[in-house]
Amino acid sequence: MRNLLNFLLNYGYWILFLLLEVASFMLLFRFNSYQGSVGFTSANWIAGHIYTVSAEVSSFFKLRSVNHRLTQENVTLQAENKALREALQRTVSEVGDKAIAPDLQKDDYSTIPVHVINNSLHLPDNYLTLDKGAADGVAPEMGVVGGNGVMGIVYMVSEHYALAISLLNSKSSISCKFKHSDYFGYLKWKGGSPRHALLEDVPRHALFQKGDTIVTSGYSAVFPQGLMVGTVDSIADSNDGLSYLLRVQLATDFACLDNALIISNDHREEQHALETKAQQVP
Amino acid sequence: MIITFLKRFSWFWVLVLVQALILNNVHFFGYATPFLYIYLLLKFDANMSRYSLLLWGFSLGLAVDVFSNTPGVNAASATLLAFVRPFLLKLFAPRDSADDFSPGIHSMGLAPFMRYASVATLVHQSALVLLVTFSFAQPSVMLLKVVSGTLLTTLCIWGVEVAKK
């Protein structure tokens, strides 16, 4: 008995060491499947607050470049506005007022403006921390979009913060298509450059070329159709040779993120329920 | 006693915040990120009990993990570092040093302290890179990350150690 006690006194730290390592590994492995683990991420209350303050400070220093970008965006938008106005006038004068459809766009999607308060680029799995949470109507599996294009998908939410899977995450998979045709594939990221991602499963008979624009397909109901994702950068064959593997230059620069919109599809539940039901039919 | 604890506690938070807000965003050549927070573990007194060393290591790693969305990764590697620290100290500390000295350039001399710090950093960095990538698919990239991260972290530790004097 005394020997045992002596042993425990002398080598008990081994047991503590093993216990702590087991705890760490449990966190490591359960994070992916365990939704309650949001407390162990930057979306918890303390980390969220600290990142909010830090994001406010750094966005102050970014104001100059943001201004610059906004001015540029303004110029392009004005030019586009002018072109559209002219086109509209031409159409109206050609066919008369009545022909313009009253509902050009179905209003299925609503948006929530958010700030990105933390993000990373160089890990194998990168996440974005956003400053709105369940209290503001954010729920998992909503899309996150920035001024330039798609950023990611909401993964976990706490009361006032949300953690989103960035496009730069091995778990990210977004259904995308070409802007000018309906051939689609899945956008994945396998590490490496934070400016590029891969578009997989594009069929062999799809027609496209370098520089073509990739947009969201709208199939998954997370994103509406036609949101900018990026442009085709280079073309290769997939490993099995059955489809194309495209390197996509991402439209979003993940190194400088600030303002974003969370997109919530008001009919997502309905579509999801229908799809699950269809899968259950034998 | 309480003052020592408060001192360690404030060092703890300063290092976690510096790590989370500044150093996690540093990527020299896209590979090297300094992990300065382990400085706290290196500086604890030599006669500190292994139990408290392990607990400090675990909580320090966990705090950094929470901020960088890598649950378990830093906790596991910092615990490992806390576990091997007494052995490293025995290996590198000068024989005539007192029982309760705090490792540093001042108490150990420049060369022994840097040897101690760089080997400790290497242990921590190897565990960290291994857990983050979790595969041996690209051994050369991993090796590059370990070596560059170790160099950068050791450099940072040296900088803080010199600046503190």
Side-chain angles (χ1 to χ4, degrees):
Chain A
M1 195 62 198
R2 215 162 105 208
N3 281 340
L4 185 68
L5 275 178
N6 268 335
F7 175 81
L8 279 182
L9 275 179
N10 285 332
Y11 291 96
Y13 65 92
W14 279 88
I15 296 166
L16 182 64
F17 169 66
L18 290 177
L19 271 178
L20 292 177
E21 290 290 351
V22 167
S24 311
F25 275 83
M26 268 168 65
L27 280 176
L28 185 64
F29 290 123
R30 293 191 73 177
F31 177 56
N32 295 336
S33 53
Y34 180 44
Q35 288 290 314
S37 59
V38 65
F40 285 109
T41 70
S42 58
N44 78 27
W45 189 81
I46 299 175
H49 269 267
I50 291 171
Y51 275 129
T52 312
V53 173
S54 129
E56 267 165 20
V57 172
S58 62
S59 72
F60 177 76
F61 286 108
K62 271 191 261 171
L63 279 181
R64 242 180 100 94
S65 61
V66 169
N67 250 334
H68 185 70
R69 231 181 26 237
L70 280 179
T71 321
Q72 273 185 336
E73 223 172 273
N74 241 334
V75 172
T76 17
L77 283 178
Q78 264 168 13
E80 202 178 308
N81 193 357
K82 194 162 158 257
L84 285 175
R85 206 182 288 263
E86 279 164 9
L88 184 69
Q89 246 162 24
R90 267 202 310 278
T91 337
V92 170
S93 56
E94 272 169 24
V95 293
D97 291 333
K98 273 178 266 170
I100 296 173
D103 54 347
L104 274 171
Q105 201 187 356
K106 278 190 293 174
D107 219 1
D108 284 353
Y109 293 90
S110 50
T111 58
I112 306 166
V114 291
H115 286 279
V116 178
I117 54 172
N118 181 39
N119 88 75
S120 59
L121 293 176
H122 291 275
L123 297 171
D125 290 313
N126 297 293
Y127 296 89
L128 310 169
T129 317
L130 312 170
D131 69 347
K132 294 262 168 71
D136 309 281
V138 180
E141 291 186 40
M142 286 181 174
V144 186
V145 192
N148 293 326
V150 170
M151 287 180 183
I153 296 177
V154 177
Y155 182 47
M156 292 179 190
V157 289
S158 64
E159 198 54 25
H160 295 289
Y161 296 96
L163 189 73
I165 296 185
S166 133
L167 289 189
L168 311 180
N169 188 309
S170 62
K171 287 201 278 284
S172 158
S173 168
I174 292 176
S175 170
C176 295
K177 70 182 195 72
F178 296 100
K179 195 175 184 183
H180 63 82
S181 71
D182 278 338
Y183 293 113
F184 71 99
Y186 291 96
L187 192 78
K188 301 251 169 94
W189 190 73
K190 308 238 160 105
S193 160
R195 302 290 333 241
H196 298 95
L198 300 171
L199 190 64
E200 292 182 341
D201 294 344
V202 180
R204 300 296 303 195
H205 54 275
L207 292 175
F208 56 86
Q209 56 195 14
K210 259 190 199 176
D212 277 2
T213 306
I214 308 284
V215 296
T216 52
S217 70
Y219 294 158
S220 65
V222 173
F223 295 104
Q225 190 179 337
L227 288 175
M228 179 70 177
V229 173
T231 51
V232 176
D233 184 52
S234 65
I235 302 166
D237 290 334
S238 69
N239 290 333
D240 56 9
L242 296 175
S243 56
Y244 284 118
L245 181 67
L246 307 182
R247 205 166 112 106
V248 176
Q249 167 102 37
L250 294 173
T252 306
D253 180 2
F254 283 88
C256 62
L257 300 180
D258 192 2
N259 294 303
L261 286 177
I262 290 182
I263 299 186
S264 82
N265 179 351
D266 304 335
H267 300 287
R268 192 176 61 86
E269 293 290 327
E270 200 180 321
Q271 180 178 348
H272 194 68
L274 189 64
E275 280 168 3
T276 349
K277 215 162 138 192
Q279 273 171 3
Q280 279 162 358
V281 171
Chain B
M1 182 69 192
I2 288 181
I3 293 191
T4 336
F5 179 77
L6 283 181
K7 229 170 155 184
R8 283 173 185 166
F9 195 68
S10 42
W11 263 104
F12 179 97
W13 280 108
V14 167
L15 284 171
V16 167
L17 289 182
V18 166
Q19 185 66 44
L21 299 179
I22 302 169
L23 297 181
N24 271 350
N25 301 313
V26 174
H27 303 281
F28 273 106
F29 316 113
Y31 291 109
T33 303
F35 286 90
L36 183 61
Y37 71 91
I38 60 168
Y39 183 68
L40 183 71
L41 296 179
L42 298 183
K43 289 295 283 182
F44 282 141
D45 289 348
N47 63 348
M48 189 172 180
S49 96
R50 289 172 188 262
Y51 294 99
S52 44
L53 203 57
L54 283 172
L55 290 174
W56 274 101
F58 180 73
S59 22
L60 186 63
L62 193 63
V64 173
D65 274 336
V66 163
F67 279 95
S68 28
N69 293 321
T70 50
V73 173
N74 283 292
S77 26
T79 311
L80 178 70
L81 175 60
F83 180 69
V84 299
R85 195 199 88 135
F87 303 108
L88 293 180
L89 210 52
K90 210 181 268 175
L91 209 62
F92 292 112
R95 300 219 174 273
D96 53 350
S97 43
D99 270 352
D100 60 344
F101 75 103
S102 160
I105 293 181
H106 189 67
S107 57
M108 291 168 73
L110 179 66
F113 178 72
M114 289 320 286
R115 263 184 305 223
Y116 159 69
S118 53
V119 173
T121 312
L122 184 66
V123 169
H124 174 258
Q125 191 76 22
S126 317
L128 193 80
V129 170
L130 213 65
L131 289 176
V132 167
T133 31
F134 224 85
S135 79
F136 289 100
Q138 292 171 302
S140 53
V141 173
M142 275 170 68
L143 201 66
L144 203 61
K145 276 188 176 174
V146 170
V147 172
S148 59
T150 305
L151 284 178
L152 199 59
T153 309
T154 318
L155 197 70
C156 286
I157 290 174
W158 174 78
V160 174
E161 187 67 18
V162 168
K164 253 177 64 184
K165 283 287 159 260

